[in-house]
Each structure stands twice: as structure tokens, then as C-alpha cells.
Amino acid sequence: MKKSDKSRFAILGMLLREPLSGYEIRKIMLNYTIHFWQESDASIYPMLKKLETEGKVKSRSQYVGERESRIFEITPAGKKEFANWIEIPAEEEKHRNELLLMLFFGANSNKEKILKQLFIRLQKEKEKKKNFENIKTSFLSKISDKDRNKLFWMMTLENGIISTNADIKWLQECINILQKNKLASNKTKKEKKRK
Amino acid sequence: MKKSDKSRFAILGMLLREPLSGYEIRKIMLNYTIHFWQESDASIYPMLKKLETEGKVKSRSQYVGERESRIFEITPAGKKEFANWIEIPAEEEKHRNELLLMLFFGANSNKEKILKQLFIRLQKEKEKKKNFENIKTSFLSKISDKDRNKLFWMMTLENGIISTNADIKWLQECINILQKNKLASNKTKKEKKRK
DNA sequence: GTCGACATGTAAATAGTTACATGATTCT
DNA sequence: AGAATCATGTAACTATTTACATGTCGAC
């Protein structure tokens, strides 16, 4: 196994619950893990192949008419690799936040443009929040309390909600500060003119 | 200009304030933008070269004894590129959160191990928070209120503090839930045994 | 009959990191 | 004398995405 290569664990983890095709894995990621983990087809299919040559998964073909789908199942070797991964402290995200970068250069840039950026992001975050809450309600009704996944899936959702709320709070604070600051500097200009 | 290539804006932005060498840019990133933007030498030096061939920066050599340092200055073309960038809505971060991925598989994994992961992360986040607050106080004393950068640099710091607080809150909630859940399931097991 | 979803895959490009390589200067 | 820091750079690798390519099936 190479240095990082996290995609493999995402895929192994999905197969832990039940055998799945590449396409199904992709769909689950799109529906359930989109806010913290995504993988494109171009990484899922080759990774499944790779895991099979390593003996971590095995596959069988299933046909619906002429249409083939390859169903992958995790092997004991695969389960072992997954279990090893869970023991290692999760790596912290490396943040690369373009908005913060722009803000950092705010003093040598245009304040109006910075404000515009903040408003656009605020709008997006509010939509994200709404979206999370919709998922939460539609989710709660679909999954039974006895499903052991529910607890954990709720936690990942809750993380999205809490982070989004924090972002919204921060954005509103920044906007406030910049707007006050703008008014203040306009006043100063006027006073200078009066003199 | 290619599709993304964000490093160039980070470097152009740094040069907006004053001419700098590659080494100095790296040091500033390490000290001021580490929590939302980093760049390694292996990306800074080639990028400065590239920007020079594009006419976005120009350089002169400066010697301290035999030791050369190349000081880069932004050109009008460079300033224009930066100004164009500030107009485009900042891209949202693509999150790849390994801890959330582990949590997502919690039901098919080992609860004790998941709890351990959460505790380790809680510890790290608390340290991060302390660190942010140290930077904030040491920062406040160093920079004059008249420095136009202060306002913006504080905002980027504040973002780190707010996000870290949100993470801590979420981690503590998750730990609580899992611990209660553990006690409850232990009880159920005991009751079953009694029967 | 055609559109959207199902289903699998490859090629090429991109972005970015780690490790390597070199040598000067300053501090202790 | 030796360690730490200053200072610049390249080679190799890794991971990952976009775009391309192909064809089936079901619904309207």
C-alpha cells in the first residue's frame, strides 16, 4: 500500500454493509457523503480493479438483459485492511480556502469587491443550510430508529449543519465590520473636505 | 491561463503589498496563512518563474555577500490579473474529511475505535483553538490599529477560531451520544442475560 | 423514437507534494 | 566546529479530475 490513497477505504467501507457495483457506490456517495467525501467514476472503477488484484474484494457479473453490472464483495483481507485504517488517527483536512485568501489581501484590494464576495458566499451557505435541513427531515422519516447506521449518518449530517452555521455567523460578522468601516471612512473623507 | 491554478493568485497577492523573494513568500504563508493556505517551495519557485515569463512579475537579484536572493515585484499586468481574480466568486472548498468518512462507517465498524478517533480529534482541535488565541493576542500587540491589513487578517483568524469552536462542539456532542448509547446497549445485554 | 438514467471504462491533463540537491551565512 | 537558518531549485511521484467513448434499458 502506498502513502495515502484514501479512496480505497471509502470504497472498502461502502462494501462492508453490502456488495455493490461501482455505479451504486457512486450513487451512495452522491446521496450520502457528498458534503464530506466524493469520488468520480474515473477513480472508483480503477480502484475496484486494483482492490480485486490485491484480493481485497471479489466480483461477480450480474445481468439485467444485456446490461452487465459487476457486483463487488469485500473479502476477509479487505476487512482487515479496513480495520487497520480505523486504528490510525484520521488525518486533518488541509484547507485551501480561496475566500479567506481573497480576504487576506483585502487591504491591497477593493473593499466593495470583497464585500460582494462575502455576500455571494453568505447566500450559498444559507442555501446549503436549508439543504442540510431538508435532508435531515426527509432522512429521519425514511430510516428506522433501529437501523444502526442512523446514529452515525445523523452525526455526519450534524457536522455539516454546525459548520455551515459557524460559517454564516462569521460571514455576517465580517460584513458588519466592513460596512461600518466603510461608513466611518466616508465620514472622514467628508470632514476633510469641509476643512 | 489554465483552468484553476490558484497558487498564482496567492503569490501575486503577496507581492501586492511589497516586493518579496520566494523564500519570504513561503515564510509569510507559514506565519500568517497556514490555517487556510499553504504552498511548498516546489510550487512557489517554479510559479514565480512562470509568472515572470508571462510578464506578471519582474525580478532583480540582491546580494548579501555571496548569497543571492531574487526579489520579485508585481507588474501592471500582474495587478490586472489579480484584480480579475477578485471579481470571480471564490470557489467553495471541496471537503475530504477522513474523520467523517470513518464515522459514516461507524455501524459496520468498532464503536470503541470510533470513540477513540473522536477523542484524539477533540484533543487536536482544543490545541488548535489555544494556538489561534495565542496568535490573536500576540498579533494584536504587534500591529497598529492604523494598519489596514489588521482588519482583514483578524477576520481570517476569526474564521479559524469560529470553525474550530464549531468542531469542538460537534465532537463533544458525538462523544456524548456514543457513550450514552454504549451504556444503554450494555444494559440491554445484561437484561437479556438475566432472562 | 428519443431522452434520461443505467453502467463501465480509458486517456490525458493538472495540481501539488516529498524528497533530493546544493551551498552560504549566522549563531553558539 | 557544527547546527540552524537562509535561499534556490529539480525530479519523481501521487492523487485526482475532466473529458471522452460506448452501449443498454425503460418511460413517455
Short mmCIF file of all heavy atoms in Angstrom, two decimals, chain A residues 53-80:
data_model
loop_
_atom_site.label_atom_id
_atom_site.label_comp_id
_atom_site.label_asym_id
_atom_site.label_seq_id
_atom_site.Cartn_x
_atom_site.Cartn_y
_atom_site.Cartn_z
N THR A 53 -7.29 -7.15 -7.74
CA THR A 53 -5.98 -7.82 -7.96
C THR A 53 -5.23 -7.99 -6.64
O THR A 53 -4.46 -8.93 -6.48
CB THR A 53 -5.08 -7.03 -8.94
OG1 THR A 53 -4.79 -5.76 -8.37
CG2 THR A 53 -5.74 -6.83 -10.28
N GLU A 54 -5.53 -7.12 -5.68
CA GLU A 54 -4.90 -7.24 -4.36
C GLU A 54 -5.63 -8.26 -3.47
O GLU A 54 -5.19 -8.53 -2.36
CB GLU A 54 -4.90 -5.88 -3.64
CG GLU A 54 -3.96 -4.86 -4.25
CD GLU A 54 -4.10 -3.50 -3.56
OE1 GLU A 54 -4.71 -3.44 -2.47
OE2 GLU A 54 -3.60 -2.50 -4.11
N GLY A 55 -6.76 -8.73 -3.95
CA GLY A 55 -7.52 -9.72 -3.17
C GLY A 55 -8.34 -9.11 -2.04
O GLY A 55 -8.79 -9.83 -1.15
N LYS A 56 -8.57 -7.81 -2.09
CA LYS A 56 -9.34 -7.16 -1.03
C LYS A 56 -10.84 -7.20 -1.33
O LYS A 56 -11.66 -7.04 -0.45
CB LYS A 56 -8.90 -5.70 -0.86
CG LYS A 56 -7.39 -5.49 -0.78
CD LYS A 56 -6.85 -5.84 0.56
CE LYS A 56 -5.32 -5.88 0.58
NZ LYS A 56 -4.64 -4.63 0.24
N VAL A 57 -11.16 -7.36 -2.60
CA VAL A 57 -12.57 -7.53 -2.99
C VAL A 57 -12.63 -8.63 -4.05
O VAL A 57 -11.63 -8.95 -4.68
CB VAL A 57 -13.19 -6.23 -3.57
CG1 VAL A 57 -13.10 -5.09 -2.59
CG2 VAL A 57 -12.53 -5.83 -4.90
N LYS A 58 -13.83 -9.21 -4.22
CA LYS A 58 -14.02 -10.12 -5.35
C LYS A 58 -15.33 -9.76 -6.03
O LYS A 58 -16.24 -9.21 -5.40
CB LYS A 58 -14.00 -11.58 -4.89
CG LYS A 58 -15.05 -11.94 -3.88
CD LYS A 58 -14.86 -13.38 -3.42
CE LYS A 58 -15.91 -13.73 -2.35
NZ LYS A 58 -15.68 -15.02 -1.72
N SER A 59 -15.41 -10.06 -7.32
CA SER A 59 -16.59 -9.60 -8.06
C SER A 59 -17.25 -10.74 -8.81
O SER A 59 -16.64 -11.76 -9.11
CB SER A 59 -16.18 -8.52 -9.05
OG SER A 59 -15.43 -9.08 -10.11
N ARG A 60 -18.53 -10.53 -9.08
CA ARG A 60 -19.25 -11.43 -9.98
C ARG A 60 -20.11 -10.56 -10.89
O ARG A 60 -20.51 -9.45 -10.53
CB ARG A 60 -20.10 -12.41 -9.19
CG ARG A 60 -21.17 -11.72 -8.34
CD ARG A 60 -21.80 -12.63 -7.31
NE ARG A 60 -22.19 -11.85 -6.13
CZ ARG A 60 -23.36 -11.18 -6.02
NH1 ARG A 60 -24.23 -11.20 -7.01
NH2 ARG A 60 -23.64 -10.49 -4.93
N SER A 61 -20.36 -11.06 -12.07
CA SER A 61 -21.18 -10.30 -13.02
C SER A 61 -22.64 -10.63 -12.82
O SER A 61 -22.99 -11.76 -12.51
CB SER A 61 -20.78 -10.65 -14.45
OG SER A 61 -19.67 -9.90 -14.82
N GLN A 62 -23.43 -9.59 -12.99
CA GLN A 62 -24.87 -9.77 -12.87
C GLN A 62 -25.48 -9.15 -14.11
O GLN A 62 -25.06 -8.09 -14.54
CB GLN A 62 -25.32 -9.05 -11.61
CG GLN A 62 -26.73 -9.36 -11.18
CD GLN A 62 -27.08 -8.59 -9.92
OE1 GLN A 62 -26.70 -8.94 -8.81
NE2 GLN A 62 -27.79 -7.49 -10.11
N TYR A 63 -26.45 -9.87 -14.70
CA TYR A 63 -27.02 -9.34 -15.93
C TYR A 63 -28.49 -9.00 -15.76
O TYR A 63 -29.26 -9.78 -15.18
CB TYR A 63 -26.88 -10.33 -17.08
CG TYR A 63 -25.47 -10.35 -17.61
CD1 TYR A 63 -24.52 -11.24 -17.11
CD2 TYR A 63 -25.08 -9.46 -18.61
CE1 TYR A 63 -23.23 -11.24 -17.58
CE2 TYR A 63 -23.79 -9.45 -19.09
CZ TYR A 63 -22.86 -10.35 -18.58
OH TYR A 63 -21.59 -10.34 -19.04
N VAL A 64 -28.85 -7.82 -16.25
CA VAL A 64 -30.26 -7.47 -16.42
C VAL A 64 -30.42 -7.32 -17.92
O VAL A 64 -30.04 -6.30 -18.48
CB VAL A 64 -30.61 -6.16 -15.69
CG1 VAL A 64 -32.08 -5.81 -15.91
CG2 VAL A 64 -30.29 -6.27 -14.20
N GLY A 65 -30.90 -8.39 -18.55
CA GLY A 65 -30.90 -8.41 -20.01
C GLY A 65 -29.45 -8.48 -20.49
O GLY A 65 -28.68 -9.32 -20.03
N GLU A 66 -29.09 -7.53 -21.36
CA GLU A 66 -27.74 -7.48 -21.89
C GLU A 66 -26.83 -6.64 -21.01
O GLU A 66 -25.63 -6.58 -21.20
CB GLU A 66 -27.76 -6.82 -23.28
CG GLU A 66 -28.45 -7.61 -24.35
CD GLU A 66 -27.52 -8.67 -24.94
OE1 GLU A 66 -26.43 -8.29 -25.42
OE2 GLU A 66 -27.87 -9.88 -24.89
N ARG A 67 -27.47 -5.89 -20.10
CA ARG A 67 -26.69 -4.92 -19.34
C ARG A 67 -25.98 -5.56 -18.17
O ARG A 67 -26.60 -6.12 -17.27
CB ARG A 67 -27.59 -3.78 -18.86
CG ARG A 67 -26.80 -2.58 -18.40
CD ARG A 67 -27.62 -1.33 -18.41
NE ARG A 67 -28.74 -1.42 -17.50
CZ ARG A 67 -29.78 -0.60 -17.52
NH1 ARG A 67 -29.84 0.36 -18.41
NH2 ARG A 67 -30.75 -0.73 -16.66
N GLU A 68 -24.68 -5.45 -18.22
CA GLU A 68 -23.88 -6.08 -17.18
C GLU A 68 -23.67 -5.11 -16.01
O GLU A 68 -23.51 -3.92 -16.20
CB GLU A 68 -22.50 -6.45 -17.75
CG GLU A 68 -21.63 -7.23 -16.78
CD GLU A 68 -20.16 -7.21 -17.17
OE1 GLU A 68 -19.78 -6.43 -18.07
OE2 GLU A 68 -19.40 -7.98 -16.56
N SER A 69 -23.72 -5.66 -14.82
CA SER A 69 -23.14 -4.87 -13.73
C SER A 69 -22.28 -5.80 -12.89
O SER A 69 -22.61 -6.96 -12.65
CB SER A 69 -24.22 -4.17 -12.91
OG SER A 69 -24.95 -5.09 -12.17
N ARG A 70 -21.15 -5.28 -12.51
CA ARG A 70 -20.18 -6.06 -11.75
C ARG A 70 -20.38 -5.77 -10.28
O ARG A 70 -20.19 -4.66 -9.81
CB ARG A 70 -18.77 -5.60 -12.14
CG ARG A 70 -18.00 -6.61 -12.93
CD ARG A 70 -16.55 -6.33 -13.13
NE ARG A 70 -15.80 -7.57 -12.97
CZ ARG A 70 -16.16 -8.73 -13.49
NH1 ARG A 70 -17.25 -8.82 -14.21
NH2 ARG A 70 -15.43 -9.81 -13.27
N ILE A 71 -20.77 -6.79 -9.53
CA ILE A 71 -21.05 -6.61 -8.11
C ILE A 71 -19.80 -7.00 -7.32
O ILE A 71 -19.28 -8.11 -7.47
CB ILE A 71 -22.23 -7.49 -7.67
CG1 ILE A 71 -23.43 -7.30 -8.59
CG2 ILE A 71 -22.59 -7.18 -6.22
CD1 ILE A 71 -24.05 -5.95 -8.55
N PHE A 72 -19.35 -6.11 -6.48
CA PHE A 72 -18.14 -6.35 -5.70
C PHE A 72 -18.47 -6.64 -4.25
O PHE A 72 -19.35 -6.02 -3.65
CB PHE A 72 -17.22 -5.13 -5.77
CG PHE A 72 -16.63 -4.93 -7.13
CD1 PHE A 72 -17.32 -4.22 -8.10
CD2 PHE A 72 -15.38 -5.47 -7.44
CE1 PHE A 72 -16.77 -4.04 -9.36
CE2 PHE A 72 -14.83 -5.28 -8.69
CZ PHE A 72 -15.52 -4.57 -9.66
N GLU A 73 -17.73 -7.58 -3.72
CA GLU A 73 -17.92 -8.03 -2.35
C GLU A 73 -16.58 -7.92 -1.64
O GLU A 73 -15.53 -8.18 -2.23
CB GLU A 73 -18.36 -9.49 -2.41
CG GLU A 73 -19.01 -10.01 -1.15
CD GLU A 73 -19.47 -11.46 -1.37
OE1 GLU A 73 -19.92 -11.78 -2.50
OE2 GLU A 73 -19.37 -12.24 -0.42
N ILE A 74 -16.59 -7.53 -0.39
CA ILE A 74 -15.34 -7.39 0.34
C ILE A 74 -14.89 -8.76 0.86
O ILE A 74 -15.71 -9.59 1.24
CB ILE A 74 -15.49 -6.35 1.49
CG1 ILE A 74 -14.12 -5.96 2.06
CG2 ILE A 74 -16.42 -6.85 2.58
CD1 ILE A 74 -14.15 -4.70 2.93
N THR A 75 -13.60 -9.01 0.83
CA THR A 75 -13.04 -10.28 1.31
C THR A 75 -12.49 -10.10 2.73
O THR A 75 -12.37 -8.96 3.19
CB THR A 75 -11.88 -10.74 0.40
OG1 THR A 75 -10.82 -9.79 0.53
CG2 THR A 75 -12.31 -10.84 -1.05
N PRO A 76 -12.14 -11.17 3.41
CA PRO A 76 -11.53 -11.04 4.73
C PRO A 76 -10.28 -10.14 4.70
O PRO A 76 -10.09 -9.32 5.60
CB PRO A 76 -11.16 -12.47 5.09
CG PRO A 76 -12.18 -13.30 4.38
CD PRO A 76 -12.41 -12.59 3.07
N ALA A 77 -9.48 -10.25 3.64
CA ALA A 77 -8.30 -9.39 3.51
C ALA A 77 -8.71 -7.92 3.44
O ALA A 77 -8.06 -7.05 4.02
CB ALA A 77 -7.49 -9.78 2.28
N GLY A 78 -9.80 -7.67 2.75
CA GLY A 78 -10.31 -6.31 2.64
C GLY A 78 -10.80 -5.79 3.98
O GLY A 78 -10.52 -4.64 4.35
N LYS A 79 -11.49 -6.65 4.70
CA LYS A 79 -11.98 -6.26 6.03
C LYS A 79 -10.83 -5.94 6.97
O LYS A 79 -10.90 -5.02 7.77
CB LYS A 79 -12.84 -7.39 6.61
CG LYS A 79 -14.22 -7.46 6.00
CD LYS A 79 -15.05 -8.56 6.63
CE LYS A 79 -16.37 -8.70 5.89
NZ LYS A 79 -17.13 -9.88 6.34
N LYS A 80 -9.77 -6.71 6.82
CA LYS A 80 -8.61 -6.49 7.68
C LYS A 80 -7.97 -5.13 7.37
O LYS A 80 -7.63 -4.37 8.27
CB LYS A 80 -7.58 -7.62 7.44
CG LYS A 80 -6.60 -7.74 8.57
CD LYS A 80 -5.64 -8.90 8.35
CE LYS A 80 -4.44 -8.76 9.26
NZ LYS A 80 -3.40 -9.76 8.97
#
